[in-house]
Amino acid sequence: MPPAVQTVSETEKAFFEKNGYLIVRAVFTSAEMAECKQAARETIEQKTGPSGVYVWWCDEIPPLFERISCDPRLVAILNPLLGPEIEFLSAKPVHKSAAITFASPWHQDRAYWGGAPKYSIWIALEEATEENGCLRVIPGSHREFLGHANVSDHNGFNNRVREEELKDAHVVDAPMHIGDILVFHDCLLHSSYPNRSGQDRWCFIPTYRNAAVPDVSTTWKTSRQLT
Ligand SMILES: O=C(O)CCC(=O)C(=O)O
Protein backbone atom coordinates (compact mmCIF):
# COMPACT_ATOMS: atom_id res chain seq x y z
CA MET A 1 0.00 0.00 0.00
CA PRO A 2 1.45 3.42 -0.91
CA PRO A 3 1.55 5.90 2.01
CA ALA A 4 -1.55 8.06 2.41
CA VAL A 5 -1.63 11.51 0.80
CA GLN A 6 -0.18 13.97 3.32
CA THR A 7 -1.25 17.56 3.58
CA VAL A 8 0.89 20.55 4.55
CA SER A 9 -0.02 22.27 7.81
CA GLU A 10 -0.10 26.06 8.23
CA THR A 11 3.10 25.75 10.30
CA GLU A 12 4.86 23.85 7.51
CA LYS A 13 3.66 26.39 4.95
CA ALA A 14 5.01 29.22 7.11
CA PHE A 15 8.32 27.31 7.43
CA PHE A 16 8.53 27.00 3.63
CA GLU A 17 7.81 30.69 3.09
CA LYS A 18 10.40 31.73 5.66
CA ASN A 19 13.14 29.28 4.77
CA GLY A 20 12.62 28.45 1.09
CA TYR A 21 12.40 24.68 1.62
CA LEU A 22 10.38 22.02 3.40
CA ILE A 23 11.15 18.37 4.14
CA VAL A 24 8.21 15.96 4.15
CA ARG A 25 8.97 12.48 5.43
CA ALA A 26 7.91 9.07 4.06
CA VAL A 27 6.02 10.26 0.98
CA PHE A 28 7.07 7.25 -1.12
CA THR A 29 7.72 3.62 -0.17
CA SER A 30 11.11 1.90 -0.37
CA ALA A 31 9.73 -0.35 -3.12
CA GLU A 32 8.71 2.67 -5.23
CA MET A 33 12.09 4.27 -4.73
CA ALA A 34 13.97 1.05 -5.57
CA GLU A 35 12.06 0.77 -8.88
CA CYS A 36 12.80 4.39 -9.66
CA LYS A 37 16.49 4.03 -8.78
CA GLN A 38 16.87 1.00 -11.06
CA ALA A 39 15.25 2.88 -13.97
CA ALA A 40 17.35 5.99 -13.22
CA ARG A 41 20.50 3.86 -13.29
CA GLU A 42 19.57 2.48 -16.74
CA THR A 43 18.93 6.01 -18.08
CA ILE A 44 22.13 7.50 -16.73
CA GLU A 45 24.20 4.61 -18.09
CA GLN A 46 22.75 5.08 -21.58
CA LYS A 47 22.43 8.83 -21.84
CA THR A 48 25.00 10.68 -19.86
CA GLY A 49 28.59 10.73 -18.84
CA PRO A 50 30.24 11.47 -15.52
CA SER A 51 28.06 14.52 -14.80
CA GLY A 52 25.46 12.05 -13.56
CA VAL A 53 22.50 14.28 -14.46
CA TYR A 54 19.98 13.77 -17.27
CA VAL A 55 17.03 16.16 -17.79
CA TRP A 56 13.71 15.08 -19.32
CA TRP A 57 11.19 17.68 -20.57
CA CYS A 58 7.66 16.91 -19.48
CA ASP A 59 6.57 15.72 -22.94
CA GLU A 60 9.32 13.10 -23.30
CA ILE A 61 9.67 11.75 -19.80
CA PRO A 62 9.32 7.95 -19.46
CA PRO A 63 6.05 6.79 -17.84
CA LEU A 64 7.55 5.67 -14.52
CA PHE A 65 9.16 9.06 -13.90
CA GLU A 66 6.10 10.88 -15.16
CA ARG A 67 3.99 8.98 -12.62
CA ILE A 68 6.34 9.92 -9.80
CA SER A 69 6.56 13.59 -10.90
CA CYS A 70 2.77 13.97 -11.21
CA ASP A 71 1.90 11.74 -8.23
CA PRO A 72 -1.11 12.98 -6.21
CA ARG A 73 1.02 12.77 -3.04
CA LEU A 74 3.36 15.43 -4.48
CA VAL A 75 0.52 17.53 -5.87
CA ALA A 76 -1.16 17.56 -2.43
CA ILE A 77 2.06 18.99 -0.95
CA LEU A 78 2.70 21.44 -3.80
CA ASN A 79 -0.78 23.00 -3.93
CA PRO A 80 -0.71 24.70 -0.51
CA LEU A 81 2.89 25.85 -1.02
CA LEU A 82 2.74 27.05 -4.65
CA GLY A 83 -0.93 27.80 -5.32
CA PRO A 84 -3.90 26.08 -6.95
CA GLU A 85 -2.46 26.02 -10.51
CA ILE A 86 0.58 23.77 -10.72
CA GLU A 87 2.54 23.09 -13.91
CA PHE A 88 5.02 20.25 -14.20
CA LEU A 89 8.04 21.30 -16.31
CA SER A 90 10.87 18.76 -16.32
CA ALA A 91 12.67 16.23 -14.15
CA LYS A 92 16.10 14.72 -13.69
CA PRO A 93 17.71 11.77 -11.96
CA VAL A 94 20.95 12.78 -10.24
CA HIS A 95 23.65 10.18 -9.74
CA LYS A 96 26.33 11.16 -7.26
CA SER A 97 28.70 8.28 -7.88
CA ALA A 98 31.29 7.02 -5.45
CA ALA A 99 33.87 8.83 -7.63
CA ILE A 100 32.36 12.25 -6.82
CA THR A 101 34.51 12.99 -3.83
CA PHE A 102 34.09 16.76 -4.15
CA ALA A 103 31.19 18.83 -2.81
CA SER A 104 28.58 20.14 -5.26
CA PRO A 105 29.17 23.88 -5.51
CA TRP A 106 26.76 26.30 -3.83
CA HIS A 107 24.21 27.59 -6.30
CA GLN A 108 20.65 28.75 -6.88
CA ASP A 109 18.86 26.85 -9.63
CA ARG A 110 17.45 30.10 -11.02
CA ALA A 111 20.92 30.80 -12.44
CA TYR A 112 20.10 28.16 -15.08
CA TRP A 113 16.65 29.31 -16.15
CA GLY A 114 15.75 32.82 -14.90
CA GLY A 115 12.17 34.10 -14.98
CA ALA A 116 9.45 33.51 -12.40
CA PRO A 117 10.03 31.21 -9.40
CA LYS A 118 10.24 27.48 -10.00
CA TYR A 119 10.03 24.85 -7.31
CA SER A 120 11.81 21.53 -7.32
CA ILE A 121 11.46 18.42 -5.21
CA TRP A 122 14.56 16.49 -4.19
CA ILE A 123 13.31 12.91 -3.80
CA ALA A 124 15.54 10.49 -1.87
CA LEU A 125 15.77 7.29 -3.90
CA GLU A 126 17.90 5.94 -1.06
CA GLU A 127 19.24 7.09 2.31
CA ALA A 128 21.10 10.39 1.89
CA THR A 129 23.66 11.03 4.61
CA GLU A 130 26.52 13.40 5.29
CA GLU A 131 28.83 10.56 4.27
CA ASN A 132 27.26 9.83 0.86
CA GLY A 133 26.54 13.44 -0.14
CA CYS A 134 23.24 14.66 1.28
CA LEU A 135 21.96 18.10 0.40
CA ARG A 136 22.93 21.23 2.36
CA VAL A 137 20.83 24.39 2.31
CA ILE A 138 20.96 27.99 3.52
CA PRO A 139 17.55 28.78 5.04
CA GLY A 140 16.07 32.11 3.90
CA SER A 141 18.49 32.49 0.97
CA HIS A 142 15.57 32.23 -1.50
CA ARG A 143 14.78 35.90 -0.85
CA GLU A 144 17.72 37.18 -2.91
CA PHE A 145 19.18 36.05 -6.21
CA LEU A 146 22.98 36.27 -6.15
CA GLY A 147 25.45 36.56 -9.01
CA HIS A 148 26.96 33.27 -10.14
CA ALA A 149 30.40 32.61 -11.62
CA ASN A 150 30.55 30.19 -14.55
CA VAL A 151 33.31 27.66 -13.90
CA SER A 152 33.88 24.51 -15.92
CA ASP A 153 36.36 22.46 -13.89
CA HIS A 154 34.25 19.24 -14.03
CA ASN A 155 33.76 19.45 -10.27
CA GLY A 156 30.00 19.65 -10.36
CA PHE A 157 27.59 22.28 -11.67
CA ASN A 158 29.13 25.18 -13.60
CA ASN A 159 27.06 28.00 -12.12
CA ARG A 160 28.35 28.78 -8.64
CA VAL A 161 28.18 31.36 -5.93
CA ARG A 162 31.62 32.30 -4.64
CA GLU A 163 32.42 30.62 -1.29
CA GLU A 164 33.63 33.99 0.14
CA GLU A 165 30.09 35.34 -0.19
CA LEU A 166 28.79 32.58 2.06
CA LYS A 167 31.35 32.52 4.83
CA ASP A 168 28.96 33.79 7.52
CA ALA A 169 25.94 31.86 6.26
CA HIS A 170 23.96 29.51 8.49
CA VAL A 171 24.07 26.14 6.70
CA VAL A 172 21.64 23.32 7.47
CA ASP A 173 22.31 19.71 6.45
CA ALA A 174 19.41 17.78 5.01
CA PRO A 175 19.91 14.06 5.63
CA MET A 176 16.94 12.16 4.23
CA HIS A 177 15.51 8.69 4.50
CA ILE A 178 14.45 6.75 1.45
CA GLY A 179 11.10 8.12 0.23
CA ASP A 180 11.46 11.50 1.97
CA ILE A 181 11.21 14.67 -0.13
CA LEU A 182 12.59 18.20 0.11
CA VAL A 183 10.60 20.89 -1.74
CA PHE A 184 12.70 23.95 -2.54
CA HIS A 185 12.45 27.37 -4.16
CA ASP A 186 14.77 28.00 -7.12
CA CYS A 187 16.61 30.77 -5.25
CA LEU A 188 17.39 28.54 -2.27
CA LEU A 189 21.17 28.26 -2.02
CA HIS A 190 22.08 24.59 -1.92
CA SER A 191 25.02 22.30 -2.32
CA SER A 192 25.74 18.70 -1.38
CA TYR A 193 28.52 17.00 0.56
CA PRO A 194 31.25 15.04 -1.20
CA ASN A 195 30.42 11.36 -1.53
CA ARG A 196 32.86 9.66 0.86
CA SER A 197 30.84 6.48 1.26
CA GLY A 198 32.46 4.47 -1.52
CA GLN A 199 28.92 3.78 -2.83
CA ASP A 200 26.64 5.57 -5.27
CA ARG A 201 23.95 8.04 -4.15
CA TRP A 202 20.76 8.61 -6.19
CA CYS A 203 17.97 11.13 -6.15
CA PHE A 204 15.26 12.29 -8.55
CA ILE A 205 14.30 15.98 -8.95
CA PRO A 206 11.12 17.13 -10.75
CA THR A 207 10.53 20.88 -11.27
CA TYR A 208 7.26 22.85 -11.28
CA ARG A 209 5.92 26.38 -11.40
CA ASN A 210 2.78 28.27 -10.46
CA ALA A 211 0.90 28.54 -13.77
CA ALA A 212 -0.87 31.71 -12.60
CA VAL A 213 2.44 33.64 -12.48
CA PRO A 214 3.68 34.99 -15.85
CA ASP A 215 7.11 33.60 -16.67
CA VAL A 216 9.61 35.08 -19.16
CA SER A 217 11.94 32.10 -18.94
CA THR A 218 12.48 30.45 -22.34
CA THR A 219 13.97 27.27 -20.93
CA TRP A 220 10.77 25.19 -21.26
CA LYS A 221 8.93 24.86 -24.59
CA THR A 222 6.27 22.61 -23.04
CA SER A 223 4.62 22.21 -19.65
CA ARG A 224 1.84 20.13 -18.20
CA GLN A 225 -0.86 21.60 -16.00
CA LEU A 226 -1.50 19.27 -13.04
CA THR A 227 -4.14 21.26 -11.16
O1 LIG B 1 21.78 16.05 -5.53
C1 LIG B 1 22.78 16.76 -5.45
O2 LIG B 1 23.86 16.35 -5.05
C2 LIG B 1 22.72 18.20 -5.85
C3 LIG B 1 21.61 18.46 -6.80
C4 LIG B 1 21.53 19.91 -7.15
O3 LIG B 1 22.13 20.73 -6.53
C5 LIG B 1 20.72 20.36 -8.26
O4 LIG B 1 20.21 19.53 -9.02
O5 LIG B 1 20.54 21.58 -8.43
Side-chain angles (χ1 to χ4, degrees):
M1 271 274 282
V5 171
Q6 302 185 47
T7 52
V8 170
S9 68
E10 282 303 315
T11 310
E12 287 171 314
K13 187 173 173 197
F15 181 95
F16 180 77
E17 281 164 7
K18 176 168 183 237
N19 296 294
Y21 74 99
L22 179 72
I23 294 177
V24 185
R25 303 286 179 194
V27 173
F28 294 105
T29 63
S30 302
E32 288 173 309
M33 296 292 89
E35 187 187 13
C36 202
K37 176 171 147 182
Q38 178 54 31
R41 191 190 298 282
E42 285 161 17
T43 296
I44 293 278
E45 277 168 8
Q46 284 164 19
K47 303 229 186 213
T48 189
S51 79
V53 178
Y54 184 79
V55 179
W56 287 296
W57 309 113
C58 71
D59 57 351
E60 55 166 29
I61 188 167
L64 169 65
F65 294 98
E66 179 187 26
R67 270 203 313 281
I68 295 282
S69 305
C70 305
D71 191 287
R73 288 166 287 180
L74 295 187
V75 175
I77 291 163
L78 288 170
N79 271 143
L81 301 179
L82 272 59
E85 294 182 49
I86 307 285
E87 268 180 359
F88 167 50
L89 296 171
S90 56
K92 59 189 184 213
V94 179
H95 174 215
K96 187 152 187 159
S97 82
I100 304 191
T101 53
F102 49 84
S104 290
W106 286 99
H107 66 283
Q108 294 165 306
D109 286 349
R110 189 170 301 175
Y112 288 92
W113 49 56
K118 318 290 180 306
Y119 304 83
S120 295
I121 304 186
W122 200 100
I123 303 175
L125 300 187
E126 60 196 343
E127 301 290 308
T129 62
E130 184 179 328
E131 200 196 6
N132 76 1
C134 73
L135 216 52
R136 312 184 75 204
V137 302
I138 300 183
S141 54
H142 64 301
R143 285 194 217 99
E144 187 188 6
F145 181 64
L146 303 176
H148 285 59
N150 195 293
V151 182
S152 48
D153 60 1
H154 305 293
N155 283 348
F157 306 106
N158 291 0
N159 284 316
R160 301 155 188 209
V161 171
R162 285 173 202 80
E163 294 277 334
E164 314 84 83
E165 288 190 59
L166 306 176
K167 65 179 178 352
D168 298 323
H170 168 59
V171 175
V172 171
D173 294 347
M176 315 252 295
H177 295 300
I178 184 165
D180 292 349
I181 68 165
L182 185 149
V183 187
F184 64 106
H185 187 285
D186 67 350
C187 283
L188 182 78
L189 276 160
H190 61 286
S191 104
S192 62
Y193 275 112
N195 186 352
R196 291 181 291 253
S197 67
Q199 294 181 345
D200 296 350
R201 191 229 69 196
W202 290 86
C203 71
F204 176 61
I205 311 178
T207 296
Y208 312 82
R209 71 181 161 203
N210 179 345
V213 177
D215 188 6
V216 295
S217 171
T218 53
T219 300
W220 290 272
K221 309 289 177 250
T222 52
S223 60
R224 177 165 330 159
Q225 188 126 10
L226 300 182
T227 55

